[in-house]
Amino acid sequence: MIPAAVGYVRADSVEAAVAALGEHGDEAKLLAGGQSLIPLMRLRLARPSVLVDMGRANDLRGISVDGDTVSIGALTSHSDLEHSAELAAACPLLAHVASQVGDPAVRHRGTLGGSLAHADPASDLPAAVLALGGTLVATGPGGSREIAATDFFTGFLESALAADEVLAGVRVPVSTGGWSYQKFNRRAQDWAIVGVAVAEGGAGVGLVNMGSTPLRASAVEAAVAGGAGASDAAASAAEGTEPPSDNNADPAYREHLVRVLTERALVAAGA
Amino acid sequence: MEVSVTVNGEVRTADVEPRTLLVHFLRDDLGLTGTNIGCDTSSCGACTVLVDGRSAKSCTMLAVQADGADVTTIEGLAGEDGLHPMQEAFHECHALQCGYCTPGMVMAAVSLVDEYSDMDADGVREGLEGNLCRCTGYQNIVKAVLAASE
Ligand SMILES: Cc1cc2nc3c(=O)[nH]c(=O)nc-3n(C[C@H](O)[C@H](O)[C@H](O)COP(=O)(O)OP(=O)(O)OC[C@H]3O[C@@H](n4cnc5c(N)ncnc54)[C@H](O)[C@@H]3O)c2cc1C
Ligand code: FES
Ligand code: FES
């Protein structure tokens, strides 16, 4: 289907994007890679009044490693993450998870910032950023603020960003300890029915599609910190989750899956 | 809005609504009907083109997003001296039946072999997961892509 009529402005920097959001009000929407927003607009599930296209804000694109911190611009594509030798060395979990998103064409255009701001519990990258204990940088009219990944996802497709704020970038610690990403799906190209991201041998564990937001498996992290083995720690993976029911799986099956996948991920990560 | 896109090496300018999908710009404004539309859900890949050398689903991109970009469609793939090696390989390996998925499949494959080196059959299958074919069972498509990547 063809999207509903919409206005369009180009914003080639973070400042221009913030200004455009301020000018056009609540019904305006940022457009990054468009790989979530355009499908929604085609189904007319999203009908923004104005698109603020920040796709060419090149100052928001790139990966840099400084000491023990990796900084990534919000417009960095999944494909950039997947192919970055620097990221593969400093934070292999994130590079690998990016390579598991959708298909190559989606990865060429979809961005890390879009994936996080969209706050879809079924997305892969939010779980990885949660497991890594990342920090998100939001820029608004009054300047920039930092939001811990654990505070960022506030509801189904809802984030802590204000209507006039732009997600400018993400910082994650350099993380080269044991890691794993287990994505369970049944068809090529599909979203995860359940996914589990493990960083630093189980110190950080993020869950995909186990509730209305991307989740952190705190009970598993605590068990690992307390010295539990993979199988014992994984037994608590469904604690505190509220898995959805859909054509692929009911909540009980998802709870089963998350325990199995968490154990596999912990074993692969050397827990 | 006026957009100016280099399509198959030629600068094409048109006045489009912001909501115009790139695939409709290519097909309806430029008459390049080689790029097909097979779904409403960004799933099938029939509409795949190259944007600045990399595969993109032209149904999941607005024409205004391509302003200033370099777009290659199936019509622009063959050169002066005949078919592109990927087209040649599809022909040689009989990698199509009805042909509906073929333009998108070929464009995705061209991008894939450029992006990933040393692919085996599994790599090709995974790399083409965003392109659906209802006829061939993929066997000969994989063969063709491997042949062209040698
Ligand atoms: C066929 C297909 C398969 C896919 N499969 C997967 C998959 O397996 N796993 C997965 O995780 N994802 C998948 N995706 C989604 C993909 O990862 C998207 O790229 C991503 O979810 C959104 O990124 P984007 O840059 O395209 O954002 P857009 O679509 O441009 O924007 C998405 C939302 O985020 C907002 N936004 C974007 N950037 C910012 C910013 N910097 N600051 C504030 N708000 C912003 C927009 O306003 C919009 O509301 C798939 C998509 C398709 C089309
Ligand atoms: S028409 Fe199906 S993915 Fe574009
Ligand atoms: S050849 Fe018919 S859909 Fe692929």
Side-chain angles (χ1 to χ4, degrees), chain B residues 95-102 105 132-138 141:
Chain B
L96 56 143
Q97 289 178 26
C98 82
Y100 199 81
C101 69
T102 311
M105 201 63 89
L132 304 183
C133 174
R134 301 307 297 268
C135 303
T136 65
Y138 301 98
I141 294 177

Side-chain angles (χ1 to χ4, degrees), chain A residues 1-6 8 31-32 35 38-39 42 44 51 56 79 82-83 102-105 107-109 188-189, chain B residues 1 18-19 21 24 39-40 42-43 51 54-57 59-62 64-67 111 115-116 127 129-130:
Chain A
M1 245 164 66
I2 298 170
V6 64
Y8 177 85
L31 176 66
Q35 300 303 292
I38 294 174
R42 290 182 68 194
R44 303 208 176 185
L51 288 174
R56 298 171 184 85
S79 173
E82 171 185 2
H83 292 300
D103 56 62
R107 297 197 292 272
H108 292 148
R109 300 208 58 81
Q189 175 197 225
Chain B
M1 257 200 76
R19 63 170 160 169
L21 300 170
H24 290 135
C39 75
D40 251 340
S42 309
S43 325
V51 177
R54 287 279 181 247
S55 61
K57 293 180 175 181
C59 74
T60 311
M61 189 170 167
L62 302 172
V64 288
Q65 288 178 288
D67 186 33
S111 177
E115 184 173 357
Y116 298 92
E129 65 185 328

